[in-house]
Amino acid sequence: MKKNKISPVILLIFFVGLISCEDKKPSDLTKENIIPKPVSITATGEYFTIHPETEITYQDKWTDLKPVSEYLAEKLRPATGFKLEVKALSQLPPAGIFLEIVGDQIVPEDESYEIHITKALLKLSAKSPAGLIRGIQTVRQILPAQIEFQEKQKGPWMIATGKITDKPEYSYRGAMLDVARHFFSVRDVKRFIDLISYYKINTLHLHLTDDQGWRIEIKSWPKLAEYGGTTKVGGGPGGYYTQDQYTEIVNYAKMVYVTIIPEVDMPGHTNAALSAYGELNCDGKARRIYTGKDVGFSTLCTRKKVTCKFVEAVIKELAALTPGPYIHIGGDESHATRKEEYAPFINQVLGIVKAQGKIMIGWDEISQANIKSGSIAQYWANSKNAATAVKKGAKIIMSPARKMYLDMKYDSLTRIGQNWAAYIDIDSSYSWDPATFATGISRENIIGVEAPLWTETITNIEDIEYMVFPRLPGIAEIGWTPAKNREWKEYRERLAGHSEHFKTMGVNYYPSKLIPWPSEKK
Ligand code: TNX
């Protein structure tokens, strides 16, 4: 009798078929597209899987880890559809996801972290909750991009095994949003925080006042917001944050260890205040509300007593709303201020900020004043100013306009934005080193980098995203990854891999031709 034998060839085809029909399994952790690039990654060639029964546990002796663990669970629940229970434990579990603080005490400013991934356990260790939050962003990036969808997806949810060790180069990694030229809702600002924190940005500077609008309620000077906040560039309704709404933003940012820095720009860029209170003008007459785009025409009357009272009241209320260490006082483009009055005014403001227990930040022009160690100058245009600030002992935030300004067009065809500093495509935005950029400013003088988004031409969150992405991930990497570990050609590939994440997060991004996006985006 002839046996019914299956030919080995058919068997082989069957198995190959089986393998290729299987979902793609990650096996090499070093191949993941992580931005900013971590310090070191080693791969062990297997994979960890998040299951319906996976629990997120944390060391029970640190109550601060509960909200951090909940944050991770909330990020993973929608797409997985799993329960992902969060529990405190006294010791390392055999399986699941575990968050721990290494050492006997929390070191709040230390953002380093380690992720140890084995088949059964994903262990995230750091010296602070902030470090754990940064590590969580890495975990999100090494999961399939579908994890960012808000509806349940098929999965599976696998992560390649191995170890990631990471820490930031600069302690200050910021983004700035101008909510004065156009006003953006609390919801928009929260979305902005979600997106920047995904790339380990840890500071959000809000440009709260300018000629076109005053956007923060000041209870002792109520017309600032009520009148000064009525409109915006181009006219139409403006808006402002009540102190409660502002606190909502501060608390939302705190959850992801992002510090909010409020900026009230003075003595220039103050037409909104000058329209709300006539007495702040030297001639005592209230200015008309302004809806244009010019700069440099307005000034507080710096020699009046009432101006000093105004500054004191505003800084006092702002400081009370600000758990972070910094208050930004602007100080840029004060072309309408008498030259001999500018520096004494900034000196006075510095005293007021200090009296509130805060550190003063100002744009690089403040180097003309008696700033000393403890103050921070934000370099945007004039490297001589910044170098002077360094000589006076101040630290520097690097925001050179021709590299960092997110309102600059990508190229001449960009529909929105400006081009006075440069056209900035992704290569130019990425390929530079803050520590060697300007003479007189070296690594030890720099606390970090910040990318400002001015909004004269930007009116809604879709346009914000279009200007911010995909430049911001590169800027975040400049702040996080040492210059010697960064290389444009390699970065370009990694960024291409992030288009998946942009899509699942619903980010409206500019598909620069310089990036080898996966084919459908070309
Ligand atoms: C310069 S940067 C400004 C802003 C404008 C921006 C537009 C700085 C300190 N001042 O007032 O919005 O250019 O790109």
Side-chain angles (χ1 to χ4, degrees), residues 178-184 207-233 238-243 246 262-277 280 289-290 300 307 310-318 321 328-329:
D178 169 8
V179 296
R181 270 51 178 270
H182 282 96
F183 181 66
F184 299 96
H207 183 74
L208 290 169
T209 69
D210 213 302
D211 292 317
Q212 300 86 347
W214 185 285
R215 309 298 183 199
I216 177 76
E217 174 190 23
I218 300 295
K219 292 193 170 158
S220 55
W221 290 68
K223 284 192 290 178
L224 287 170
E226 279 167 20
Y227 186 72
T230 40
T231 186
K232 61 185 174 191
V233 167
Y240 65 89
Y241 309 117
T242 63
Q243 294 200 354
Y246 186 78
E263 178 188 352
V264 169
D265 204 346
M266 59 181 103
H269 288 278
T270 41
N271 190 80
L274 299 169
S275 71
Y277 289 99
L280 297 174
I289 243 157
Y290 182 69
L300 296 171
T307 301
F310 158 83
V311 175
E312 262 172 3
V314 169
I315 301 285
K316 196 169 170 203
E317 289 195 35
L318 268 191
L321 291 169
H328 201 306
I329 60 97

Side-chain angles (χ1 to χ4, degrees), residues 15 98 136 139 170 232 341-342 400 418 437 496 509 520:
F15 279 116
F98 184 64
I136 286 172
V139 171
Y170 291 99
K232 61 185 174 191
E341 288 182 15
Y342 176 82
Q418 311 209 50
F437 187 77
Y509 69 101
E520 80 269 32

Side-chain angles (χ1 to χ4, degrees), residues 29 233-234 255 260 313 404 521:
L29 191 61
V233 167
M255 229 166 52
I260 301 285
M404 297 288 263
K521 193 75 205 184

Side-chain angles (χ1 to χ4, degrees), residues 299-364:
T299 184
L300 296 171
C301 189
T302 52
R303 56 187 176 278
K304 272 188 165 178
K305 258 211 175 121
V306 65
T307 301
C308 185
K309 278 196 173 156
F310 158 83
V311 175
E312 262 172 3
V314 169
I315 301 285
K316 196 169 170 203
E317 289 195 35
L318 268 191
L321 291 169
T322 303
Y326 307 111
I327 301 276
H328 201 306
I329 60 97
D332 58 314
E333 298 173 317
S334 295
H335 309 316
T337 311
R338 283 194 196 166
K339 221 177 161 1
E340 67 278 16
E341 288 182 15
Y342 176 82
F345 175 75
I346 298 293
N347 293 340
Q348 203 177 16
V349 178
L350 174 59
I352 294 169
V353 172
K354 270 193 163 171
Q356 292 301 321
K358 299 293 180 189
I359 297 168
M360 185 181 87
I361 308 180
W363 298 104
D364 59 46

Side-chain angles (χ1 to χ4, degrees), residues 245-490:
Q245 288 172 326
Y246 186 78
T247 300
E248 193 182 324
I249 293 172
V250 169
N251 290 338
Y252 190 81
K254 221 196 253 171
M255 229 166 52
V256 283
Y257 292 83
V258 166
T259 302
I260 301 285
I261 300 184
E263 178 188 352
V264 169
D265 204 346
M266 59 181 103
H269 288 278
T270 41
N271 190 80
L274 299 169
S275 71
Y277 289 99
E279 61 265 45
L280 297 174
N281 296 279
C282 285
D283 64 9
K285 289 187 191 133
R287 296 294 179 262
R288 281 230 202 114
I289 243 157
Y290 182 69
T291 59
K293 292 181 188 167
D294 289 345
V295 296
F297 60 88
S298 59
T299 184
L300 296 171
C301 189
T302 52
R303 56 187 176 278
K304 272 188 165 178
K305 258 211 175 121
V306 65
T307 301
C308 185
K309 278 196 173 156
F310 158 83
V311 175
E312 262 172 3
V314 169
I315 301 285
K316 196 169 170 203
E317 289 195 35
L318 268 191
L321 291 169
T322 303
Y326 307 111
I327 301 276
H328 201 306
I329 60 97
D332 58 314
E333 298 173 317
S334 295
H335 309 316
T337 311
R338 283 194 196 166
K339 221 177 161 1
E340 67 278 16
E341 288 182 15
Y342 176 82
F345 175 75
I346 298 293
N347 293 340
Q348 203 177 16
V349 178
L350 174 59
I352 294 169
V353 172
K354 270 193 163 171
Q356 292 301 321
K358 299 293 180 189
I359 297 168
M360 185 181 87
I361 308 180
W363 298 104
D364 59 46
E365 289 94 326
I366 64 157
S367 67
Q368 296 161 46
N370 286 335
I371 52 164
K372 344 179 174 24
S373 58
S375 298
I376 295 168
Q378 186 167 6
Y379 169 42
W380 68 281
N382 188 323
S383 53
K384 278 203 187 110
N385 278 343
T388 305
V390 165
K391 278 198 199 117
K392 292 186 177 179
K395 293 281 184 211
I396 305 293
I397 297 168
M398 292 295 285
S399 302
R402 69 190 160 89
K403 291 291 180 189
M404 297 288 263
Y405 271 28
L406 296 170
D407 63 321
M408 292 300 124
K409 292 171 187 264
Y410 294 99
D411 63 22
S412 61
L413 299 174
T414 311
R415 179 179 52 85
I416 43 177
Q418 311 209 50
N419 63 4
W420 64 262
Y423 292 116
I424 312 178
D425 211 326
I426 321 305
D427 53 347
S428 168
S429 169
Y430 179 79
S431 303
W432 65 286
D433 177 3
T436 57
F437 187 77
T439 32
I441 310 169
S442 49
R443 174 65 188 89
E444 65 272 19
N445 311 126
I446 299 170
I447 63 165
V449 295
E450 181 180 297
L453 179 63
W454 302 99
T455 59
E456 286 94 334
T457 64
I458 291 150
T459 57
N460 56 52
I461 187 74
E462 287 75 25
D463 286 352
I464 288 179
E465 289 176 14
Y466 188 78
M467 298 309 273
V468 170
F469 287 95
R471 285 183 287 206
L472 185 88
I475 289 165
E477 183 153 306
I478 292 173
W480 183 279
T481 309
K484 64 175 188 330
N485 295 348
R486 299 195 282 111
E487 205 255 319
W488 162 245
K489 284 207 174 113
E490 182 274 332

